Amino acid sequence: MSRTKYLYLAKILIIFVIYFATAKFGLSLQAVSRFATLIWIPTGFSLAILLLFGYRYWPAVAFGAFFVNLFNGAPPFVALGIATGNTLEAIVGVYLLRRFIDFRKSFDKLNDILTLILIAAPVSSAISATFGVSSLLLGHVIDSSAYTTTWVPWWIGDLISDLIVAPFLLFWLQKYSITIKPLRILEFLGLLLLALAVGFVVFLGVGGVTTTNFPMRYLVYPLIIWAALRFGQREVAIIMVIYSVLAIWVTMLGFGPYAYKSISDNLLFLQFFMIITSVTSLILSVAISEKRELEERKDDFISMASHELRTPVTSIKIYSQIVNNKLSEKKYIAARKYLGKLDDQIYKLTSLIIDLLDVSRIQSGNLTIKQEPFNINLLVTDTIEALQKTTNDHSLIVKGTIKKEVWGDRERVYQVLVNLLANAIKYSPDGGKIVVQCKDFGYMMKISIRDTGVGIEKAQLQRIFERLYRIPKDRKGRVFNGLGIGLFVCAEIIRMHKGKIWAERNKLKGSTFHFTLPISGDAVLRRKRILSN
Ligand code: ADP
C-alpha cells in the first residue's frame, strides 16, 4: 500500500475515534428515546472535516455513527439507518454550502454564514433526524406517538452542533497568522476571565439568587459584542464554547436558568437560547470582520493607488522636460524617442484611470456591455502580439482555435485578455512560457492562460477575484505592486457575458486562469427564441 493510502486510513481512524467518542458522550446525556440527544458534537465535527478535507472521509462518519448506535443498543439495521442519515447529513451539508456560495471554508463572509444558518444546517440536520427517527420507528425502538418528540430534539441537537462546533473548528483549523502584542493578549485574557465569571453568574446565579427566578441570560451578549468588536470570529467562537459548556453542564446538573421541568425538557429550552445566541454571534462577528477587512484593504489601496498614479505622472513630467530640451536643441530624433516613452506612460495612466472608473461603475451597477458577434481568434492573436512587445523574458504562445464567433463586447473581452496576460507576465518574474489555450465546445468557448510564475495558494484562488483583494508578496518575499482591482473587473465583465472565470494552481509551477464565453450561434438562437415568444 502506498504512503498516501496509509495516511488516508490513519486519518479515517482518527476521525472515527473522535466521532465515536463525542457521539458516545452525547448519547450519555439524557438522550430522548435513548437516541435523540440535544448535545451532538459529531454533526458539526463531520461537517467541518468533510469541508476541510473532502468528501472522501465519509466512511469515518458512517462507521462512527454505525458503531456508536450499535453499542447504544440499536438493532443492526436501525444503526445502519441512523448511520446513513448521519453520513448523508455531512455530505449534503457540504454540498449545499458549495452549491449556494463560492464557499471558501473560512466562513469569513456574511453570505457563507447565512447559507450555513438558513440552508445547510437546517436541511442537513432534518435529513439526519428523519433517517434516524424513522429507523427507530421501523425497528420498533419507538412507537409512532414518540416520532415528533424524538425528531425535534434530534434536529435541534444536530442544528446547534452545525452552528457552534462547525464554525469553531473551521475558524481554528484554518491557517492564520498571529501577531503577538502583549496588550492584546492581556485584553483577551481579561475577556476570557470575565466571560467565565459572567457564565457562572448567568448559569449558576450569585448570592443565593436563583437564575430561574431572576434570569440574567442577556449578560452574555456584551462579552460576545466585545469579542466581535475588538477581536474576531475565532475569539467569539471561544466565548460561545465557554458559554455552551457551562450552560449544558449546569442544566444537566438540574440547576440554572432552565431548571423548569425534566432535564431533557430543560435542555430543549436551553438549546433555543443557544441557537439564538450562536446565530447572533456568528452574524455579528462575521459582519464586523468583513467590514474591518474591507477597511484595511481600502487603506492599503489608497496608499498603493497614490503610488501607482504618482509614478507615471513623475515620468511624464521628466520626459516632457527632456522632449522640450531636445526640441530646443533641434535634436528631433531624440525628441521623438522620448515622445514614445511619454506615450507609454500616458497609456499606463489612462488604463489605471479606466480600471478605477470601471470599479466605480460596477459598484453603482452602471457597467454596460455591448452585444455583438466578433472574431475572438483575431482578438487573442492581436492581444498576444501587443503584449509580447512589452517583454523579452517571456514567450507568449497560442494553442487551438475557436471556429465560431463569440457574442459580446469586443473591447471588454480585450480588457480581460490584457489583464490576465499582463498578470501572467507580472507574476512570472523569472520569465518563462505563457500558453494561451483556446478551446471550442460548440455552444461555448474556453480560454486558458497558463504561466509558470509564483502561483497562488489554494485558499486564495477564489478570493483574488474580490474587490481590492491582493497578495502583495510571494513566498520568496518578492514585492508586487498593484491595486487589486484587475481580476475583480475581469470577473464582472465575464459574469455580464454569462460566462465563468476561475483560477487554478498548476501541478508543477505557476497558475492557470480560465474563462468561458457563450458562442454567438447559441446566443443568437436564444435571443431569437426570446423575441419570438
Ligand atoms: P493586482 O495585480 O493589481 O494586485 P489583480 O486583481 O489583477 O490585482 O490580482 C489580484 C491578486 O491575484 C494579485 O495581487 C496576485 O496576488 C494574484 N494574481 C493574479 N494573477 C496572478 C498570476 N498569474 N499568478 C499569480 N498570482 C496572480
Side-chain angles (χ1 to χ4, degrees):
M1 227 178 2
S2 68
R3 202 173 153 260
T4 42
K5 272 206 177 129
Y6 274 122
L7 215 67
Y8 169 71
L9 287 179
K11 275 193 197 164
I12 290 264
L13 192 69
I14 294 170
I15 300 167
F16 168 80
V17 170
I18 297 176
Y19 191 99
F20 188 90
T22 50
K24 192 100 194 79
F25 169 73
L27 288 173
S28 69
L29 302 175
Q30 294 289 327
V32 179
S33 305
R34 232 172 86 215
F35 288 93
T37 172
L38 281 154
I39 293 108
W40 188 249
I41 295 171
T43 292
F45 171 69
S46 46
L47 181 74
I49 291 296
L50 260 56
L51 265 174
L52 287 173
F53 304 126
Y55 287 122
R56 63 202 187 101
Y57 289 94
W58 70 267
V61 177
F63 283 120
F66 176 74
F67 284 111
V68 85
N69 284 294
L70 200 67
F71 288 138
N72 198 42
F77 85 91
V78 174
L80 196 67
I82 298 176
T84 309
N86 283 337
T87 314
L88 277 179
E89 173 181 50
I91 292 174
V92 171
V94 174
Y95 172 78
L96 289 173
L97 284 171
R98 294 209 173 134
R99 172 82 187 72
F100 283 95
I101 42 176
D102 273 347
F103 192 71
R104 281 173 305 278
K105 295 176 194 165
S106 48
F107 271 140
D108 52 5
K109 287 260 166 241
L110 201 53
N111 258 354
D112 300 5
I113 287 296
L114 289 179
T115 311
L116 175 77
I117 294 171
L118 299 174
I119 302 170
V123 172
S124 64
S125 304
I127 292 175
S128 160
T130 309
F131 263 78
V133 182
S134 305
S135 304
L136 293 177
L137 185 71
L138 290 173
H140 305 292
V141 181
I142 57 165
D143 60 43
S144 55
S145 62
Y147 195 94
T148 319
T149 48
T150 315
W151 195 94
V152 172
W154 192 305
W155 182 67
I156 290 182
D158 284 16
L159 181 70
I160 197 119
S161 182
D162 274 345
L163 297 181
I164 296 179
V165 180
F168 177 83
L169 291 176
L170 286 165
F171 294 156
W172 282 98
L173 290 178
Q174 300 282 331
K175 267 194 214 158
Y176 49 88
S177 54
I178 299 181
T179 37
I180 298 180
K181 289 184 191 155
L183 271 180
R184 296 278 291 167
I185 296 175
L186 224 64
E187 182 182 345
F188 184 59
L189 288 179
L191 171 68
L192 277 187
L193 278 179
L194 209 63
L196 270 171
V198 166
F200 275 106
V201 170
V202 168
F203 297 108
L204 272 171
V206 265
V209 180
T210 67
T211 46
T212 325
N213 302 335
F214 186 64
M216 290 176 280
R217 285 150 244 190
Y218 49 82
L219 277 182
V220 302
Y221 291 110
L223 291 175
I224 289 174
I225 294 170
W226 177 4
L229 282 177
R230 298 276 304 159
F231 298 93
Q233 293 133 289
R234 278 183 212 100
E235 291 76 5
V236 174
I238 292 187
I239 306 284
M240 271 312 295
V241 168
I242 291 180
Y243 286 147
S244 311
V245 172
L246 272 175
I248 291 166
W249 175 51
V250 169
T251 310
M252 292 297 306
L253 293 176
F255 303 116
Y258 296 97
Y260 299 119
K261 292 174 158 186
S262 71
I263 289 189
S264 46
D265 282 341
N266 296 345
L267 278 177
L268 196 60
F269 293 132
L270 167 69
Q271 296 297 49
F272 281 121
F273 167 73
M274 300 301 292
I275 287 178
I276 300 293
T277 316
S278 57
V279 164
T280 313
S281 64
L282 277 174
I283 292 179
L284 185 74
S285 64
V286 173
I288 291 177
S289 302
E290 209 178 9
K291 223 171 157 98
R292 193 185 295 142
E293 198 198 314
L294 199 60
E295 285 298 316
E296 279 165 15
R297 273 196 231 165
K298 274 189 183 157
D299 290 347
D300 289 347
F301 171 79
I302 290 171
S303 68
M304 278 308 278
S306 36
H307 171 80
E308 293 274 301
L309 288 169
R310 209 178 47 211
T311 317
V313 171
T314 315
S315 310
I316 288 170
K317 219 168 132 194
I318 294 171
Y319 290 141
S320 67
Q321 265 166 11
I322 298 178
V323 170
N324 210 353
N325 291 344
K326 299 285 171 201
L327 283 179
S328 55
E329 291 164 16
K330 295 207 163 70
K331 291 182 177 164
Y332 298 115
I333 295 176
R336 185 181 274 172
K337 183 178 129 199
Y338 283 101
L339 271 178
K341 292 190 178 206
L342 198 69
D343 201 43
D344 286 347
Q345 295 301 323
I346 292 173
Y347 176 76
K348 257 193 197 164
L349 198 60
T350 323
S351 34
L352 212 67
I353 293 169
I354 290 174
D355 274 355
L356 288 173
L357 277 175
D358 280 345
V359 173
S360 82
R361 280 200 195 106
I362 293 171
Q363 289 307 107
S364 58
N366 288 331
L367 187 81
T368 50
I369 54 161
K370 283 187 223 138
Q371 287 287 335
E372 57 199 8
F374 64 90
N375 185 332
I376 185 109
N377 266 327
L378 219 58
L379 189 69
V380 171
T381 40
D382 283 355
T383 321
I384 286 187
E385 230 169 74
L387 279 151
Q388 184 64 77
K389 283 188 191 141
T390 65
T391 170
N392 292 324
D393 304 330
H394 305 82
S395 50
L396 277 59
I397 303 160
V398 199
K399 283 189 179 167
T401 48
I402 290 151
K403 288 175 220 106
K404 287 195 201 141
E405 289 191 310
V406 162
W407 188 262
D409 191 322
R410 192 180 177 281
E411 283 308 306
R412 289 292 181 192
V413 176
Y414 174 68
Q415 197 180 341
V416 172
L417 279 168
V418 169
N419 245 311
L420 296 182
L421 281 166
N423 272 352
I425 294 172
K426 174 165 134 191
Y427 293 103
S428 307
D430 303 325
K433 251 194 217 169
I434 293 167
V435 180
V436 182
Q437 174 91 51
C438 303
K439 276 197 179 153
D440 186 339
F441 292 96
Y443 63 101
M444 62 110 174
M445 58 108 243
K446 184 169 101 171
I447 291 183
S448 309
I449 295 165
R450 168 187 282 265
D451 63 50
T452 53
V454 298
I456 304 162
E457 293 280 321
K458 208 171 164 201
Q460 280 156 337
L461 284 175
Q462 287 172 354
R463 305 214 64 184
I464 51 173
F465 294 98
E466 289 174 16
R467 186 165 59 112
L468 308 187
Y469 189 87
R470 59 186 316 271
I471 311 154
K473 279 185 195 163
D474 73 350
R475 261 179 288 169
K476 289 186 188 162
R478 283 177 291 197
V479 178
F480 295 95
N481 287 341
L483 296 179
I485 53 179
L487 290 181
F488 170 69
V489 174
C490 289
E492 191 59 21
I493 292 173
I494 297 298
R495 194 188 64 76
M496 289 182 77
H497 278 86
K498 309 253 180 299
K500 281 196 176 137
I501 185 165
W502 69 101
E504 262 173 20
R505 273 160 69 88
N506 295 342
K507 272 209 182 96
L508 287 176
K509 208 168 173 238
S511 38
T512 305
F513 283 76
H514 308 269
F515 71 87
T516 63
L517 288 175
I519 294 236
S520 65
D522 179 54
V524 172
L525 271 180
R526 225 180 322 135
R527 242 171 94 88
K528 274 191 184 152
R529 226 178 293 141
I530 293 168
L531 289 178
S532 62
N533 276 343

